[in-house]
Amino acid sequence: MPQHVREELARRLRRTKRAYRKQDVQVVEKPLLKRAVGASALGNCMEWFDFGVYSYLAATIGKVFFPGASPGAQLISSFATFAAAFVVRPLGGLVFGPLGDRIGRQKVLATTMIMMAAGTFSIGLIPSYASIGMAAPILLLVARMVQGFSTGGEYGGATTFVAEYSPDRRRGFLSSWLDFGTFVGYALGSALVTVLNAALTDDQMLSWGWRLPFLIAGPLGIIGLYMRMKLEESPAFQQQLDEHEKNLAQDSVGSEFKTIVRAHWRPLLVCMGLVLLYNVTNYMVTGYLPTYQTETLDRSSGSADILVLIGMVWIVILITFLGRLSDHIGRRPLYAGAAIAMIFLAIPAFLLIKAEGTWPPIFGVLILSTLLACFAAPSAATLPALFPTAVRYGAMGIGFNFAVAAFGGTTPLVTEALVNATGNKLMPAYYLMAAGVIGLITVKFLPESAQLPLNGSQPMVGSAAEQKELIDTSQDLYRYAKEQSSTH
């Protein structure tokens, strides 16, 4: 047992003034655990397929909905609509987060799934600017805001749900499957757009081809909703509900928001710093890189899409291994090492991406994708551990979505504007370096949570043998503590 785990266990025993008993250690049923992790990851895959498709089609959407503008203005207008979804994400987090703490994680996650599918499906049905004029971009904006509002409750809820189901020793590995689902969704979106660009002419893509990925969201949403309706509430939430049901029912959303900001502002800032590090890198790779290659480097959309798809597949391969690694070496070393690497490797990565030939751009994308995987893998286990059960979903909704809205979703828009304003094609690298510095400072204040119980929750184990081992260890620690106190 790592030293920091023994120290935390000793602190808890001093508070309770006794060793653990059988009822103090929760054993997670394996069938429930597999269903919770699998359904959450698959649901997340569907959500982020829906959300990610827009970024891969940004240039085409700009031509369909903003045809009178110059190519640069079309792109910035398309990215501005992309960023608009992130503006309403905090509002979604403010609504869905406290709601998830009051009525349950599962109900809210089912709601966000159907809202995302409806918003995405409707984009595929909006007539072009040539058909209905200014009403077209306005309807596009409304649909994106529906997507953004639902996403405000998605990641915070899904990470909270999986983290609360996972045994403490394997939380990094099991939670990393959530972001595995995210990047599989991104990869599927990228693969579909790549196939469409290869199979259809430019005129066909502009006419109707771009709609197909959005229309797929309808049936995917129904499947995802069915899966999420079959889930049971997490053990940590059930325990919290049993103990504080009346208080939770009486508290208003506004009072929970005030409690989170007033009592948990330090972990809230840590959460936002880590989210900035993760999501600036995320949206640089998934949201901006395809367009950077086609519009700034004048490459074909097919080669740009394939390059990004290679990066997505590489992340999918790495992420669960890195999640398992974070359980063994800790979350802090993984974050810190990757942040330092990004500060020094961002410029070399973009120089490789800009280079001619086949292999240099691939190596450049693989560098950025590896760094992104290092940030993504521990996040779903690290962020929920910052907050106690009673406010975990709400705090995640606030911290995650405010940071993504301010820094993540605006990354393609700000970076494209900087490149256009300065003419410097390395601006994306400088942006990543700044994010790396902020992330490294944040890690200094991040408490290590690997293998520890969640804040305010019972210890979670994966088997009766682990339960017995933890109880025996607690008895040894408690006996040693009593002997030490009697000698002083």
Side-chain angles (χ1 to χ4, degrees):
M1 183 180 288
Q3 184 61 30
H4 75 280
V5 179
R6 295 179 69 88
E7 290 173 357
E8 174 61 23
L9 181 57
R11 279 194 293 270
R12 291 192 175 210
L13 295 176
R14 284 196 294 271
R15 286 198 300 269
T16 58
K17 297 182 179 179
R18 63 175 177 82
Y20 281 140
R21 299 168 186 165
K22 200 169 184 179
Q23 63 268 26
D24 298 323
V25 181
Q26 176 89 35
V27 180
V28 186
E29 297 178 32
K30 289 184 179 179
L32 287 179
L33 177 61
K34 288 180 180 178
R35 194 189 314 160
V37 174
S40 297
L42 284 171
N44 218 42
C45 173
M46 295 173 188
E47 281 258 358
W48 294 99
F49 168 85
D50 291 355
F51 201 74
V53 157
Y54 187 99
S55 62
Y56 299 118
L57 290 167
T60 303
I61 288 170
K63 295 172 185 176
V64 172
F65 289 97
F66 309 99
S70 66
Q74 283 179 353
L75 198 56
I76 289 175
S77 298
S78 182
F79 277 139
T81 310
F82 177 80
F86 292 85
V87 173
V88 298
R89 275 185 72 158
L91 182 59
L94 288 174
V95 172
F96 288 125
L99 201 60
D101 287 327
R102 289 157 60 87
I103 68 171
R105 285 70 162 117
Q106 180 264 347
K107 294 181 181 69
V108 173
L109 287 172
T111 304
T112 61
M113 170 61 70
I114 200 65
M115 281 188 68
M116 172 62 82
T120 309
F121 185 73
S122 64
I123 292 177
L125 300 177
I126 298 172
S128 66
Y129 185 95
S131 300
I132 59 173
M134 276 302 296
I138 291 172
L139 289 173
L140 177 65
L141 181 63
V142 170
R144 284 292 295 169
M145 292 177 80
V146 170
Q147 283 187 316
F149 188 79
S150 80
T151 309
E154 171 61 26
Y155 190 80
T159 54
T160 294
F161 190 79
V162 173
E164 289 179 347
Y165 250 109
S166 300
D168 300 331
R169 292 182 181 179
R170 303 177 65 214
R171 184 170 294 114
F173 170 66
L174 292 170
S175 296
S176 68
W177 284 97
L178 192 64
D179 284 283
F180 174 90
T182 296
F183 288 101
V184 168
Y186 277 135
L188 290 174
S190 175
L192 180 56
V193 172
T194 301
V195 169
L196 289 173
N197 279 326
L200 302 177
T201 65
D202 289 344
D203 288 341
Q204 288 173 324
M205 278 296 291
L206 280 173
S207 176
W208 54 269
W210 68 271
R211 298 182 184 275
L212 296 179
F214 295 103
L215 295 177
I216 289 173
L220 285 183
I222 294 171
I223 295 169
L225 179 63
Y226 173 79
M227 293 171 60
R228 288 194 168 175
M229 291 299 289
K230 292 290 184 182
L231 293 174
E232 296 182 21
E233 278 299 348
S234 69
F237 180 77
Q238 290 285 13
Q239 177 195 353
Q240 185 74 21
L241 193 65
D242 293 340
E243 295 175 359
H244 303 293
E245 188 172 15
K246 290 182 180 179
N247 291 334
L248 286 172
Q250 290 170 359
D251 285 346
S252 67
V253 171
S255 67
E256 180 172 340
F257 174 74
K258 290 176 184 176
T259 299
I260 291 167
V261 174
R262 185 176 63 250
H264 304 285
W265 63 271
R266 291 178 190 273
L268 206 58
L269 288 177
V270 172
C271 174
M272 293 175 73
L274 294 179
V275 172
L276 181 154
L277 178 66
Y278 171 15
N279 279 275
V280 166
T281 314
N282 183 14
Y283 289 105
M284 187 69 76
V285 175
T286 62
Y288 182 64
L289 209 52
T291 305
Y292 175 76
Q293 294 180 79
T294 56
E295 304 301 317
T296 305
L297 303 181
D298 295 321
R299 289 179 180 153
S300 69
S301 58
S303 63
D305 291 339
I306 290 172
L307 201 56
V308 174
L309 180 58
I310 290 171
M312 294 299 98
V313 172
W314 180 238
I315 293 170
V316 168
I317 292 170
L318 282 181
I319 196 163
T320 57
F321 292 100
L322 292 170
R324 191 190 297 272
L325 180 66
S326 79
D327 283 328
H328 293 287
I329 69 169
R331 324 290 190 222
R332 297 180 80 244
L334 190 56
Y335 276 120
I340 292 169
M342 189 157 78
I343 294 169
F344 288 101
L345 295 179
I347 289 177
F350 269 89
L351 288 173
L352 287 169
I353 290 169
K354 284 175 57 188
E356 298 298 325
T358 300
W359 289 106
I362 289 176
F363 285 132
V365 169
L366 289 179
I367 290 171
L368 295 182
S369 299
T370 302
L371 295 174
L372 175 53
C374 289
F375 301 140
S379 287
T382 305
L383 302 179
L386 293 168
F387 308 103
T389 305
V391 298
R392 184 171 293 126
Y393 199 153
M396 280 289 295
I398 294 167
F400 188 87
N401 290 298
F402 272 92
V404 172
F407 305 105
T410 57
T411 293
L413 175 64
V414 173
T415 310
E416 178 65 16
L418 287 172
V419 171
N420 282 343
T422 64
N424 188 338
K425 295 179 181 179
L426 287 178
M427 272 296 168
Y430 302 142
Y431 203 78
L432 287 177
M433 290 171 69
V437 170
I438 294 170
L440 193 58
I441 294 170
T442 302
V443 172
K444 178 178 173 59
F445 300 96
L446 173 68
E448 184 56 73
S449 60
Q451 299 193 34
L452 291 176
L454 290 174
N455 192 351
S457 298
Q458 287 182 322
M460 302 276 286
V461 295
S463 66
E466 283 186 32
Q467 183 188 45
K468 184 179 184 303
E469 180 189 346
L470 184 57
I471 292 171
D472 291 345
T473 302
S474 76
Q475 289 172 345
D476 292 341
L477 283 172
Y478 187 64
R479 192 181 305 115
Y480 176 76
K482 284 184 69 176
E483 290 171 357
Q484 290 293 107
S485 61
S486 63
T487 57
H488 289 294

